Structures are given as C-alpha cells and as structure tokens.
Amino acid sequence: LKRMEISTSKARVVAVLGPTNTGKTHLAMERMLAYATGMIGFPLRLLARENYQRAVEAKGYSAVALITGEEKILPISARYFICTTESMPIDRAVDFMGIDEVQMCADPDRGHIFTDRLLHARGRHETMLLGAETLRPLIKRLVPDVEFISRPRFSTLSYVGAKKITSLPKRSAIVAFSASDVYAFAELIRRQKGGAAVVMGALSPRTRNAQIALYQSGEVDYIVATDAIGMGLNMDVDHVAFAATRKFDGHRRRPLEPAELAQIAGRAGRHMNDGTFGTTGDAKLIDPEIIGRIENHKFEPIRQIFWRNPKPQFTSTEALLKSLSVPPQLQGVVRVRQADDELVLRRLIQDPDVIKHATNTDANRLLWDVCQVPDFNNVKSDGHANSLARIFGYLVKSQNARLPEEWIAEQVNRLDRTDGDIDHLTQRIASIRTWTYVAYRNDWLENIKYWQERTRAIEDKLSDALHELLTLRFVDRRTTDLMRRIKDKPELLAAVKKEGDVIVEGHYIGRLEGFIFKADPSDGSALNIKPSKRPI
C-alpha cells in the first residue's frame, strides 16, 4: 500500500488539457524528443505505432523503442520509449514522462491502469499529462504542485442537424455502435456513393490503417466507424454523422455522455479547418443543451476515477484475491469493478488442477501473469479461460517452465488460413493477437524469435485478407474511379463496342440493346445509372 502515497518529486508536472484538435500529442512528442531520454504511453497500440514512426524519423531507429503487449522493438541503445499505457516500464528512469488521454482514468475497465500512471509515473525533469478539461479538478486534488496548460481547439466545431445518408457531404464519418450497423451503413454508402472505408475496434491495427489509408487517399469519401474513431486517429474528416447516440458498453445499453459525443464529434475538422457534426439514419436529434456543451467544450467534471491495488500479494490465491480487493484511501478514487484478469483468476481457481499447483509465491505470481493474457475476441467465454488454464498448467509443470512447441504450433497453425467471411477473419485475427501476446513473454517460450515472427506474419496475412474483403464488399472501385475522374474533368472518354458494350474511361458500365441502354446492375446504383426505357 506504500504506492498509494503520491509521488512528490520536485520535477515539473504539467497537465495539458483541452478538446480534440488542440495539438496536445504533438506538443508532448516535441517536449520528449527535446530531452536526452523519455517515455510516453498511449491508449491504443495503433497510436503507439504511429508516434513510434514519428520518433524514429526524428531520432533514428536505434534510439527509439516500441513496447506494447503484442510488439516489442527494443534497440540496446534506445533512449525513447513509445508504449501502450499498460506496457509502460515506469520503473525505468527517464527525463520526460508522458501519459496520453489521461481522462481514461474514469474508464470502468482500464481506468485503474491510467490512475496508477497518473499517481506514480514520473520523469526526472518533466511529466506531462494529456487529456480533457473534465479531469482538471481531480488532477489538482491528487497531483501536488501540478501546472495547468489549457489548449484551445484550432478550429470551430458546429452542429448542422440531421441529414439523410444520401445527403451527407463528402469527407464524412458515419458513427454506429455495432458491427452489424457499421456493415449495413457501409453497404448503403457503397450503393449510393460508391464506397466507404470501415473502422472498428475489432479490426487489427494493420487492417484499420489500411482502411484509413483508403479514405485518406481519396479513393472513398466516406468512412463508417464505431467509437474507435474517437481515440486520436488522425483523419481528414469534415463532418461526423451519428447514426446512433446510444451504445452497449459491455454491461448495459446507455446514452453516450456529452463528453463522449464530443470526443467523437471532435474528429471533424483538422488543424485550422472547421468541422461539423449531426445525426443521420434513425438517430434522434441531439438535445440543444448538449449541442451547446459540445460546441463550447463545456462539460461536467469527472467526479471519480478508478483504482486497483498495484501491489498484489502472492503468498496464496486467497491473499491475491484479498489484495486486489483493497479499497483506495483517496477522495475521488474508487475501486475498479472486477476487471477481465480478475474475473479469469476467479474462474481458474475453481479448477482443481490449477489450485493443486498454485501453492507458493512464484506459482501465484505466474498464475496472475497468465490471467493478464488478453482475450482480443472480447466474448468473456470459458474458451479463453480454459486456454489460460492449459498455459498455466504447462508452465508450472514443465522442468524448464516453457510451453511445449508442439502445442503452440497446433494453436497457431489452425489460424493460418484466409478462407471464410469477414467475421471468420476478424475472429482469427483476434485469436492470433492473443498468441502474439504470449509469444512476447520471453520467459514462456524457448524459440521466442521464431514464434514472434510466425504469429506476426499470420496476423499480417489475415489483416491484409480482411482489408481486401472489406474493400471488395464495401467499395465499388469502378464507381469511385469514375466519380473521381468526373471531378477532374467535365468530359469523360466514352465508347460503344460493336457488340453494344458501353465503356467509360476504360470501365464497362452497361450495354446498348438496339436503342435501349441497360446499365450494369453490379454498380449502376452508385452511379445513379438506371436502365433506360426510352430510345437514346
């Protein structure tokens, strides 16, 4: 419990607070790279990867490390550490320490990790906390001698009401909160507008990057996404349209809080370009009071953040569970509800074989490490717990405390296939990501480099296949190409072949039968070309 005492280093602690599109992350990266050493934690592996590339371009490959649960690039001479928040090695001394999206302290599932970083992660000379103004009162109460810097938004964000899907302007993002709704809207956009990119939390970072690149390149002018779009993804979006303002958060279906709506709506507008937001589909109009809050960035302060004892006890499984249940002693800090790792632990200790071997400090520490292997399928099924029980059993029973190569090969090889539909590929990617995480536990495998490369290669292959499948399903390349060419020149090159095929700019769009034009039904709807009943 000694870590409950807040760090009181004399070093400068700065909270840089403001809405989206204020340049907070850019400022933190510049500050970090100005020091000899530094570390920064991001809420998503995707963001860590993006900023790792920025740091490498500035300082060189040998100076920068990337540390996430599923990927570790650790040059011997690394001076800058770009991490996911959970993977930050905060015991390493660095001149600069940064925590991005620190308002995530209030997240019921991951908040305890961010709270621990808020209270204890410190740089020798400077610590920078980046996030929303809503956390200001709690930061002021919990972090001694903190300095505040408010960052105004570079551009204006305005509400424009409801629009039909068919009336949405180009460079729009449509936001829904289930995979089925995302797919339905993407299909509608394909038929009406030629195509849409798709972004969801369930996609691998590689697939999400490829879909975002499809949008950023201008091949499609629309993107359909879940609220995964709200967490720092950099895209040139002019308008955000909410197809729903309620979501299932893993426990209940609830309306989005005004600050959550603002986080997503704030993706509209980039740097000095103004942005707009509104609703579409069956979504209800947003309340005028909430609109005013979003446009003026005024929200109720966060009143509580989540915490869990960062120093669990391993003398027995009973002591471990008891230590995880210790309540916090700070005002405004509450104990996190049972997180996934704790729920898995409670399942595993019902297994007689697990209990048989969880008899000492080392075994219980190992059991807790195994429980923290993430389930990227996020279905909270017994299947994941059973796999973790087998991992623990192999590790605790083997003489060299390693997983058997034959068993790992069996689990990994069955995922090395790209057949099936979008859901099949998405599930396989989630499963291989779990094994990639296992492969980066250097003390669990004998041939770690081989398994890291093997699992990464499978994830990349599946991700590329999924991107291609999403593009085939939701992007009409012929239509998008023709619509892009129409923007560039008013007259297109067209021809009619001897057999009646009509070709425009090299694309087949239909055929003439006598004097009747019949559009190709595969994509005529997107071009608004309908079979003609009149002579041409």
Side-chain angles (χ1 to χ4, degrees):
L1 291 180
K2 290 183 179 179
R3 289 194 73 196
M4 281 297 291
E5 299 174 6
I6 301 170
S7 302
T8 56
S9 168
K10 295 288 186 181
R12 184 186 188 211
V13 181
V14 185
V16 183
L17 307 179
T20 55
N21 191 26
T22 59
K24 298 187 295 292
T25 303
H26 180 77
L27 172 65
M29 289 293 292
E30 282 194 332
R31 292 292 298 169
M32 180 185 74
L33 296 176
Y35 284 101
T37 61
M39 182 185 303
I40 188 166
F42 294 96
L44 297 175
R45 172 184 162 195
L46 195 67
L47 297 178
R49 245 295 174 185
E50 181 180 297
N51 285 282
Y52 165 76
Q53 295 296 342
R54 285 180 56 192
V56 166
E57 289 172 7
K59 295 295 183 176
Y61 180 84
S62 63
V64 186
L66 174 69
I67 306 177
T68 74
E70 304 160 70
E71 190 173 16
K72 291 179 177 62
I73 301 173
L74 288 167
I76 295 175
S77 56
R79 295 182 290 117
Y80 304 99
F81 299 83
I82 314 299
C83 318
T84 49
T85 308
E86 283 86 346
S87 300
M88 295 174 72
I90 61 172
D91 293 336
R92 179 184 288 268
V94 290
D95 295 331
F96 175 93
M97 184 77 72
I99 314 294
D100 192 31
E101 304 288 4
V102 74
Q103 75 277 359
M104 286 285 289
C105 290
D107 182 81
D109 297 308
R110 300 173 64 199
H112 60 288
I113 301 292
F114 286 80
T115 298
D116 183 65
R117 305 299 186 251
L118 171 73
L119 298 178
H120 305 296
R122 295 292 182 268
R124 279 188 295 239
H125 301 304
E126 183 173 0
T127 299
M128 190 168 281
L129 310 172
L130 315 170
E133 279 282 352
T134 50
L135 200 61
R136 179 189 285 260
L138 277 177
I139 293 176
K140 188 173 183 179
R141 180 188 304 160
L142 297 172
V143 181
D145 302 322
V146 63
E147 302 173 35
F148 288 100
I149 298 176
S150 294
R151 299 277 292 194
R153 184 178 164 91
F154 291 139
S155 60
T156 300
L157 184 62
S158 306
Y159 181 69
V160 294
K163 292 180 180 290
K164 293 181 179 179
I165 286 283
T166 54
S167 301
L168 289 174
K170 293 178 179 178
R171 314 312 292 168
S172 286
I174 298 93
V175 180
F177 296 100
S178 71
S180 59
D181 285 347
V182 167
Y183 294 154
F185 281 109
E187 178 64 28
L188 181 59
I189 292 289
R190 186 196 72 83
R191 293 201 307 267
Q192 298 292 338
K193 302 287 189 177
V198 170
V199 171
M200 299 185 295
L203 302 182
S204 68
R206 186 181 178 95
T207 305
R208 271 184 282 179
N209 275 337
Q211 287 289 300
I212 291 169
L214 191 70
Y215 173 82
Q216 287 291 93
S217 69
E219 185 166 349
V220 295
D221 281 315
Y222 300 88
I223 189 163
V224 186
T226 61
D227 50 348
I229 196 177
M231 196 65 74
L233 298 178
N234 292 319
M235 292 177 292
D236 296 320
V237 173
D238 294 334
H239 178 73
V240 169
F242 289 93
T245 56
R246 298 175 64 87
K247 75 169 187 176
F248 180 71
D249 64 4
H251 297 271
R252 62 188 177 92
R253 184 171 173 78
R254 62 171 179 81
L256 271 71
E257 297 292 336
E260 292 176 304
L261 289 168
Q263 181 77 17
I264 300 167
R267 292 297 112 199
R270 184 81 183 274
H271 196 59
M272 303 303 291
N273 297 326
D274 293 340
T276 58
F277 69 101
T279 57
T280 192
D282 296 328
K284 294 181 178 178
L285 293 174
I286 300 174
D287 184 271
E289 180 188 353
I290 295 176
I291 293 169
R293 291 190 191 183
I294 295 173
E295 290 181 334
N296 297 295
H297 318 298
K298 301 293 184 184
F299 306 102
E300 291 293 320
I302 292 172
R303 302 194 181 282
Q304 64 179 31
I305 57 177
F306 292 97
W307 176 89
R308 185 172 71 185
N309 180 12
K311 290 287 188 178
Q313 302 298 308
F314 298 108
T315 52
S316 67
T317 54
E318 293 81 3
L320 175 55
L321 285 173
K322 186 176 180 180
S323 66
L324 293 173
S325 301
V326 169
Q329 304 298 317
L330 296 169
Q331 186 180 0
V333 181
V334 299
R335 185 186 176 276
V336 70
R337 67 190 181 197
Q338 287 185 7
D340 289 346
D341 51 8
E342 189 175 345
L343 290 172
V344 170
L345 173 65
R346 291 182 180 275
R347 285 190 186 186
L348 293 192
I349 61 175
Q350 303 303 314
D351 185 329
D353 193 51
V354 170
I355 288 298
K356 177 182 175 181
H357 292 93
T359 55
N360 56 59
T361 298
D362 289 341
N364 288 316
R365 191 185 302 277
L366 173 62
L367 177 61
W368 183 233
D369 285 344
V370 169
C371 289
Q372 291 176 77
V373 174
D375 178 13
F376 290 100
N377 274 307
N378 200 31
V379 293
K380 298 179 173 60
S381 67
D382 288 335
H384 180 65
N386 292 339
S387 292
L388 298 191
R390 294 192 69 179
I391 289 174
F392 174 72
Y394 281 129
L395 291 173
V396 79
K397 294 175 189 177
S398 66
Q399 290 184 345
N400 62 352
R402 297 291 189 271
L403 296 172
E405 300 264 319
E406 300 81 5
W407 182 68
I408 289 291
E410 179 184 342
Q411 309 309 309
V412 169
N413 289 343
R414 66 185 175 83
L415 300 171
D416 189 10
R417 45 186 291 201
T418 57
D419 60 307
D421 59 16
I422 289 172
D423 288 339
H424 286 123
L425 289 174
T426 301
Q427 290 166 11
R428 282 185 210 129
I429 289 172
S431 296
I432 198 64
R433 289 180 70 187
T434 296
W435 291 110
T436 300
Y437 183 97
V438 170
Y440 275 92
R441 286 299 310 239
N442 294 347
D443 51 342
W444 289 2
L445 295 168
E446 197 69 49
N447 193 356
I448 56 171
K449 186 171 180 57
Y450 168 79
W451 289 113
Q452 288 169 3
E453 292 176 351
R454 173 81 172 126
T455 54
R456 173 70 61 234
I458 294 174
E459 181 184 327
D460 288 350
K461 182 164 69 172
L462 290 170
S463 297
D464 291 343
L466 178 57
H467 168 63
E468 185 61 31
L469 210 55
L470 289 168
T471 304
L472 284 172
R473 178 170 171 182
F474 299 122
V475 178
D476 186 334
R477 291 189 182 277
R478 176 176 57 181
T479 298
T480 55
D481 181 56
L482 287 174
M483 294 179 78
R484 188 165 56 249
R485 294 192 190 200
I486 289 171
K487 289 190 299 183
D488 296 335
K489 56 183 180 179
E491 295 182 1
L492 301 181
L493 182 63
V496 180
K497 290 187 174 182
K498 184 190 302 183
E499 59 273 19
D501 291 351
V502 179
I503 309 297
V504 177
E505 292 285 334
H507 295 282
Y508 171 75
I509 66 167
R511 62 184 290 108
L512 282 173
E513 295 184 1
F515 292 103
I516 305 299
F517 173 72
K518 291 190 175 180
D520 178 19
S522 64
D523 67 346
S525 59
L527 281 168
N528 292 316
I529 298 172
K530 298 180 180 178
S532 173
K533 297 295 180 69
R534 298 175 298 172
I536 295 177

PDB file of all heavy atoms in Angstrom, residues 130-151:
ATOM      1  N   LEU A 130      -1.760  14.453 -20.554  1.00  0.00           N
ATOM      2  CA  LEU A 130      -2.539  14.987 -21.670  1.00  0.00           C
ATOM      3  C   LEU A 130      -3.964  14.465 -21.587  1.00  0.00           C
ATOM      4  O   LEU A 130      -4.177  13.266 -21.419  1.00  0.00           O
ATOM      5  CB  LEU A 130      -1.933  14.547 -23.002  1.00  0.00           C
ATOM      6  CG  LEU A 130      -0.414  14.658 -23.138  1.00  0.00           C
ATOM      7  CD1 LEU A 130       0.042  13.955 -24.401  1.00  0.00           C
ATOM      8  CD2 LEU A 130       0.009  16.100 -23.146  1.00  0.00           C
ATOM      9  N   GLY A 131      -4.943  15.359 -21.707  1.00  0.00           N
ATOM     10  CA  GLY A 131      -6.307  14.872 -21.639  1.00  0.00           C
ATOM     11  C   GLY A 131      -7.345  15.963 -21.695  1.00  0.00           C
ATOM     12  O   GLY A 131      -7.090  17.089 -22.140  1.00  0.00           O
ATOM     13  N   ALA A 132      -8.529  15.615 -21.220  1.00  0.00           N
ATOM     14  CA  ALA A 132      -9.678  16.511 -21.288  1.00  0.00           C
ATOM     15  C   ALA A 132      -9.751  17.400 -20.048  1.00  0.00           C
ATOM     16  O   ALA A 132      -9.307  17.028 -18.958  1.00  0.00           O
ATOM     17  CB  ALA A 132     -10.958  15.698 -21.423  1.00  0.00           C
ATOM     18  N   GLU A 133     -10.360  18.576 -20.233  1.00  0.00           N
ATOM     19  CA  GLU A 133     -10.541  19.521 -19.117  1.00  0.00           C
ATOM     20  C   GLU A 133     -11.370  18.920 -17.986  1.00  0.00           C
ATOM     21  O   GLU A 133     -11.280  19.356 -16.847  1.00  0.00           O
ATOM     22  CB  GLU A 133     -11.224  20.790 -19.631  1.00  0.00           C
ATOM     23  CG  GLU A 133     -10.299  21.784 -20.306  1.00  0.00           C
ATOM     24  CD  GLU A 133      -9.482  22.596 -19.299  1.00  0.00           C
ATOM     25  OE1 GLU A 133      -9.752  22.486 -18.083  1.00  0.00           O
ATOM     26  OE2 GLU A 133      -8.584  23.329 -19.737  1.00  0.00           O
ATOM     27  N   THR A 134     -12.182  17.920 -18.303  1.00  0.00           N
ATOM     28  CA  THR A 134     -13.074  17.344 -17.287  1.00  0.00           C
ATOM     29  C   THR A 134     -12.309  16.724 -16.123  1.00  0.00           C
ATOM     30  O   THR A 134     -12.866  16.541 -15.042  1.00  0.00           O
ATOM     31  CB  THR A 134     -13.965  16.265 -17.927  1.00  0.00           C
ATOM     32  OG1 THR A 134     -13.149  15.354 -18.669  1.00  0.00           O
ATOM     33  CG2 THR A 134     -14.988  16.891 -18.863  1.00  0.00           C
ATOM     34  N   LEU A 135     -11.035  16.407 -16.312  1.00  0.00           N
ATOM     35  CA  LEU A 135     -10.265  15.779 -15.232  1.00  0.00           C
ATOM     36  C   LEU A 135      -9.505  16.804 -14.386  1.00  0.00           C
ATOM     37  O   LEU A 135      -8.870  16.441 -13.398  1.00  0.00           O
ATOM     38  CB  LEU A 135      -9.288  14.746 -15.814  1.00  0.00           C
ATOM     39  CG  LEU A 135      -8.752  13.687 -14.840  1.00  0.00           C
ATOM     40  CD1 LEU A 135      -9.878  12.840 -14.267  1.00  0.00           C
ATOM     41  CD2 LEU A 135      -7.714  12.801 -15.500  1.00  0.00           C
ATOM     42  N   ARG A 136      -9.591  18.082 -14.734  1.00  0.00           N
ATOM     43  CA  ARG A 136      -8.812  19.103 -14.037  1.00  0.00           C
ATOM     44  C   ARG A 136      -9.002  19.079 -12.513  1.00  0.00           C
ATOM     45  O   ARG A 136      -8.002  19.076 -11.766  1.00  0.00           O
ATOM     46  CB  ARG A 136      -9.136  20.496 -14.590  1.00  0.00           C
ATOM     47  CG  ARG A 136      -8.380  21.627 -13.890  1.00  0.00           C
ATOM     48  CD  ARG A 136      -8.889  22.991 -14.327  1.00  0.00           C
ATOM     49  NE  ARG A 136      -8.437  23.332 -15.661  1.00  0.00           N
ATOM     50  CZ  ARG A 136      -7.416  24.145 -15.928  1.00  0.00           C
ATOM     51  NH1 ARG A 136      -6.734  24.706 -14.934  1.00  0.00           N
ATOM     52  NH2 ARG A 136      -7.083  24.421 -17.170  1.00  0.00           N
ATOM     53  N   PRO A 137     -10.255  19.075 -11.972  1.00  0.00           N
ATOM     54  CA  PRO A 137     -10.390  19.127 -10.508  1.00  0.00           C
ATOM     55  C   PRO A 137      -9.715  17.951  -9.795  1.00  0.00           C
ATOM     56  O   PRO A 137      -9.074  18.144  -8.756  1.00  0.00           O
ATOM     57  CB  PRO A 137     -11.913  19.092 -10.308  1.00  0.00           C
ATOM     58  CG  PRO A 137     -12.481  19.617 -11.581  1.00  0.00           C
ATOM     59  CD  PRO A 137     -11.556  19.124 -12.643  1.00  0.00           C
ATOM     60  N   LEU A 138      -9.833  16.741 -10.362  1.00  0.00           N
ATOM     61  CA  LEU A 138      -9.221  15.593  -9.704  1.00  0.00           C
ATOM     62  C   LEU A 138      -7.699  15.623  -9.819  1.00  0.00           C
ATOM     63  O   LEU A 138      -6.999  15.253  -8.874  1.00  0.00           O
ATOM     64  CB  LEU A 138      -9.771  14.292 -10.298  1.00  0.00           C
ATOM     65  CG  LEU A 138     -11.119  13.829  -9.722  1.00  0.00           C
ATOM     66  CD1 LEU A 138     -11.613  12.583 -10.422  1.00  0.00           C
ATOM     67  CD2 LEU A 138     -10.993  13.563  -8.229  1.00  0.00           C
ATOM     68  N   ILE A 139      -7.194  16.057 -10.963  1.00  0.00           N
ATOM     69  CA  ILE A 139      -5.734  16.182 -11.082  1.00  0.00           C
ATOM     70  C   ILE A 139      -5.211  17.176 -10.052  1.00  0.00           C
ATOM     71  O   ILE A 139      -4.203  16.933  -9.379  1.00  0.00           O
ATOM     72  CB  ILE A 139      -5.335  16.613 -12.512  1.00  0.00           C
ATOM     73  CG1 ILE A 139      -5.655  15.521 -13.521  1.00  0.00           C
ATOM     74  CG2 ILE A 139      -3.849  16.974 -12.566  1.00  0.00           C
ATOM     75  CD1 ILE A 139      -5.374  15.919 -14.961  1.00  0.00           C
ATOM     76  N   LYS A 140      -5.908  18.297  -9.920  1.00  0.00           N
ATOM     77  CA  LYS A 140      -5.483  19.335  -8.961  1.00  0.00           C
ATOM     78  C   LYS A 140      -5.463  18.791  -7.540  1.00  0.00           C
ATOM     79  O   LYS A 140      -4.585  19.124  -6.739  1.00  0.00           O
ATOM     80  CB  LYS A 140      -6.428  20.533  -9.058  1.00  0.00           C
ATOM     81  CG  LYS A 140      -5.982  21.749  -8.263  1.00  0.00           C
ATOM     82  CD  LYS A 140      -6.884  22.936  -8.541  1.00  0.00           C
ATOM     83  CE  LYS A 140      -6.402  24.173  -7.793  1.00  0.00           C
ATOM     84  NZ  LYS A 140      -7.255  25.358  -8.081  1.00  0.00           N
ATOM     85  N   ARG A 141      -6.442  17.921  -7.226  1.00  0.00           N
ATOM     86  CA  ARG A 141      -6.533  17.366  -5.875  1.00  0.00           C
ATOM     87  C   ARG A 141      -5.486  16.287  -5.644  1.00  0.00           C
ATOM     88  O   ARG A 141      -4.931  16.166  -4.539  1.00  0.00           O
ATOM     89  CB  ARG A 141      -7.929  16.772  -5.666  1.00  0.00           C
ATOM     90  CG  ARG A 141      -8.135  16.169  -4.268  1.00  0.00           C
ATOM     91  CD  ARG A 141      -9.454  15.433  -4.195  1.00  0.00           C
ATOM     92  NE  ARG A 141     -10.561  16.305  -4.573  1.00  0.00           N
ATOM     93  CZ  ARG A 141     -11.750  15.862  -4.970  1.00  0.00           C
ATOM     94  NH1 ARG A 141     -11.974  14.557  -5.063  1.00  0.00           N
ATOM     95  NH2 ARG A 141     -12.711  16.705  -5.280  1.00  0.00           N
ATOM     96  N   LEU A 142      -5.176  15.484  -6.669  1.00  0.00           N
ATOM     97  CA  LEU A 142      -4.354  14.289  -6.476  1.00  0.00           C
ATOM     98  C   LEU A 142      -2.879  14.486  -6.789  1.00  0.00           C
ATOM     99  O   LEU A 142      -2.047  13.704  -6.319  1.00  0.00           O
ATOM    100  CB  LEU A 142      -4.894  13.149  -7.351  1.00  0.00           C
ATOM    101  CG  LEU A 142      -6.318  12.659  -7.036  1.00  0.00           C
ATOM    102  CD1 LEU A 142      -6.777  11.675  -8.096  1.00  0.00           C
ATOM    103  CD2 LEU A 142      -6.361  12.013  -5.657  1.00  0.00           C
ATOM    104  N   VAL A 143      -2.539  15.486  -7.589  1.00  0.00           N
ATOM    105  CA  VAL A 143      -1.144  15.653  -8.013  1.00  0.00           C
ATOM    106  C   VAL A 143      -0.592  16.955  -7.453  1.00  0.00           C
ATOM    107  O   VAL A 143      -0.979  18.049  -7.888  1.00  0.00           O
ATOM    108  CB  VAL A 143      -1.041  15.657  -9.557  1.00  0.00           C
ATOM    109  CG1 VAL A 143       0.415  15.795  -9.981  1.00  0.00           C
ATOM    110  CG2 VAL A 143      -1.650  14.383 -10.138  1.00  0.00           C
ATOM    111  N   PRO A 144       0.312  16.884  -6.484  1.00  0.00           N
ATOM    112  CA  PRO A 144       0.853  18.107  -5.866  1.00  0.00           C
ATOM    113  C   PRO A 144       1.626  18.967  -6.868  1.00  0.00           C
ATOM    114  O   PRO A 144       2.334  18.451  -7.737  1.00  0.00           O
ATOM    115  CB  PRO A 144       1.794  17.559  -4.779  1.00  0.00           C
ATOM    116  CG  PRO A 144       1.379  16.145  -4.566  1.00  0.00           C
ATOM    117  CD  PRO A 144       0.841  15.657  -5.874  1.00  0.00           C
ATOM    118  N   ASP A 145       1.470  20.278  -6.736  1.00  0.00           N
ATOM    119  CA  ASP A 145       2.260  21.254  -7.499  1.00  0.00           C
ATOM    120  C   ASP A 145       2.127  21.105  -9.010  1.00  0.00           C
ATOM    121  O   ASP A 145       3.029  21.469  -9.765  1.00  0.00           O
ATOM    122  CB  ASP A 145       3.754  21.156  -7.120  1.00  0.00           C
ATOM    123  CG  ASP A 145       3.972  21.392  -5.637  1.00  0.00           C
ATOM    124  OD1 ASP A 145       3.288  22.262  -5.070  1.00  0.00           O
ATOM    125  OD2 ASP A 145       4.804  20.685  -5.045  1.00  0.00           O
ATOM    126  N   VAL A 146       0.993  20.578  -9.478  1.00  0.00           N
ATOM    127  CA  VAL A 146       0.802  20.428 -10.917  1.00  0.00           C
ATOM    128  C   VAL A 146       0.562  21.788 -11.560  1.00  0.00           C
ATOM    129  O   VAL A 146      -0.070  22.666 -10.983  1.00  0.00           O
ATOM    130  CB  VAL A 146      -0.383  19.475 -11.220  1.00  0.00           C
ATOM    131  CG1 VAL A 146      -1.696  20.043 -10.694  1.00  0.00           C
ATOM    132  CG2 VAL A 146      -0.483  19.171 -12.709  1.00  0.00           C
ATOM    133  N   GLU A 147       1.112  21.996 -12.750  1.00  0.00           N
ATOM    134  CA  GLU A 147       0.845  23.188 -13.550  1.00  0.00           C
ATOM    135  C   GLU A 147      -0.181  22.821 -14.620  1.00  0.00           C
ATOM    136  O   GLU A 147      -0.146  21.721 -15.162  1.00  0.00           O
ATOM    137  CB  GLU A 147       2.122  23.672 -14.245  1.00  0.00           C
ATOM    138  CG  GLU A 147       3.272  23.987 -13.321  1.00  0.00           C
ATOM    139  CD  GLU A 147       4.522  24.295 -14.129  1.00  0.00           C
ATOM    140  OE1 GLU A 147       4.401  24.886 -15.225  1.00  0.00           O
ATOM    141  OE2 GLU A 147       5.618  23.927 -13.676  1.00  0.00           O
ATOM    142  N   PHE A 148      -1.060  23.757 -14.923  1.00  0.00           N
ATOM    143  CA  PHE A 148      -2.071  23.503 -15.949  1.00  0.00           C
ATOM    144  C   PHE A 148      -1.826  24.373 -17.173  1.00  0.00           C
ATOM    145  O   PHE A 148      -1.525  25.562 -17.058  1.00  0.00           O
ATOM    146  CB  PHE A 148      -3.478  23.781 -15.408  1.00  0.00           C
ATOM    147  CG  PHE A 148      -3.957  22.752 -14.423  1.00  0.00           C
ATOM    148  CD1 PHE A 148      -3.903  22.997 -13.060  1.00  0.00           C
ATOM    149  CD2 PHE A 148      -4.453  21.533 -14.868  1.00  0.00           C
ATOM    150  CE1 PHE A 148      -4.336  22.053 -12.151  1.00  0.00           C
ATOM    151  CE2 PHE A 148      -4.893  20.582 -13.964  1.00  0.00           C
ATOM    152  CZ  PHE A 148      -4.836  20.842 -12.612  1.00  0.00           C
ATOM    153  N   ILE A 149      -1.953  23.759 -18.332  1.00  0.00           N
ATOM    154  CA  ILE A 149      -1.913  24.478 -19.600  1.00  0.00           C
ATOM    155  C   ILE A 149      -3.183  24.117 -20.361  1.00  0.00           C
ATOM    156  O   ILE A 149      -3.443  22.937 -20.612  1.00  0.00           O
ATOM    157  CB  ILE A 149      -0.678  24.099 -20.444  1.00  0.00           C
ATOM    158  CG1 ILE A 149       0.613  24.477 -19.713  1.00  0.00           C
ATOM    159  CG2 ILE A 149      -0.744  24.757 -21.821  1.00  0.00           C
ATOM    160  CD1 ILE A 149       1.871  24.045 -20.443  1.00  0.00           C
ATOM    161  N   SER A 150      -3.992  25.115 -20.679  1.00  0.00           N
ATOM    162  CA  SER A 150      -5.212  24.883 -21.449  1.00  0.00           C
ATOM    163  C   SER A 150      -4.933  25.121 -22.923  1.00  0.00           C
ATOM    164  O   SER A 150      -4.353  26.143 -23.297  1.00  0.00           O
ATOM    165  CB  SER A 150      -6.343  25.804 -20.978  1.00  0.00           C
ATOM    166  OG  SER A 150      -6.718  25.486 -19.658  1.00  0.00           O
ATOM    167  N   ARG A 151      -5.364  24.163 -23.740  1.00  0.00           N
ATOM    168  CA  ARG A 151      -5.136  24.275 -25.183  1.00  0.00           C
ATOM    169  C   ARG A 151      -6.473  24.476 -25.881  1.00  0.00           C
ATOM    170  O   ARG A 151      -7.346  23.614 -25.830  1.00  0.00           O
ATOM    171  CB  ARG A 151      -4.487  22.981 -25.701  1.00  0.00           C
ATOM    172  CG  ARG A 151      -3.141  22.665 -25.092  1.00  0.00           C
ATOM    173  CD  ARG A 151      -2.022  23.400 -25.761  1.00  0.00           C
ATOM    174  NE  ARG A 151      -1.786  22.947 -27.135  1.00  0.00           N
ATOM    175  CZ  ARG A 151      -0.716  23.243 -27.838  1.00  0.00           C
ATOM    176  NH1 ARG A 151       0.234  24.018 -27.312  1.00  0.00           N
ATOM    177  NH2 ARG A 151      -0.575  22.813 -29.079  1.00  0.00           N
TER     178      ARG A 151
END
